[in-house]
Amino acid sequence: KRTQQRREEAAVAPWIGYNEEDDMKNQILALSKEKRNFLRNPPPGANYHFDMAAVYPVALATLDVDENLKQMRFDLVPKQINEETFWCNYFYRVSLIKQSTQLSALAHE
């Protein structure tokens, strides 16, 4: 229980602590303005592992700073998709932004 509490206290939005933090933050915040980012599953064969327990504290931290995400979740869960699918689809796209931002940063170095 103490480990879970520590994890929740340490949870921050997904762009915190990256070199290209501002750019990444803007791209991630833009995700929550488009409904299809939550309704479309990762493509078959995508190498993406989703762990709801691991991302949930990050999801809550992100909800605190992204009003559009809060509204999208309210609109879609559970009317159109369940909670886990909502976060899986969202964090899949977050992972793509992180990868591309880090690759761009490497290319500029």
Side-chain angles (χ1 to χ4, degrees), residues 40-103:
R40 288 175 50 210
N41 295 332
N47 189 11
Y48 178 66
H49 171 72
F50 179 73
D51 179 355
M52 184 69 178
V55 303
Y56 201 66
V58 177
L60 294 178
T62 309
L63 282 170
D64 285 342
V65 295
D66 187 348
E67 285 300 318
N68 292 317
L69 182 61
K70 210 178 283 183
Q71 186 60 50
M72 193 64 75
R73 183 177 176 221
F74 179 80
D75 293 344
L76 298 178
V77 177
K79 294 181 243 14
Q80 293 186 41
I81 55 175
N82 67 35
E83 181 93 13
E84 191 159 344
T85 303
F86 177 89
W87 290 116
C88 177
N89 293 344
Y90 176 74
F91 280 107
Y92 169 69
R93 284 159 182 82
V94 167
S95 73
L96 295 179
I97 290 171
K98 285 181 169 185
Q99 287 171 18
S100 75
T101 305
Q102 289 173 309
L103 288 172

Side-chain angles (χ1 to χ4, degrees), residues 5-13 55-62:
Q5 186 179 356
R6 244 187 252 124
R7 220 184 275 144
E8 287 169 8
E9 288 166 3
V12 293
V55 303
Y56 201 66
V58 177
L60 294 178
T62 309

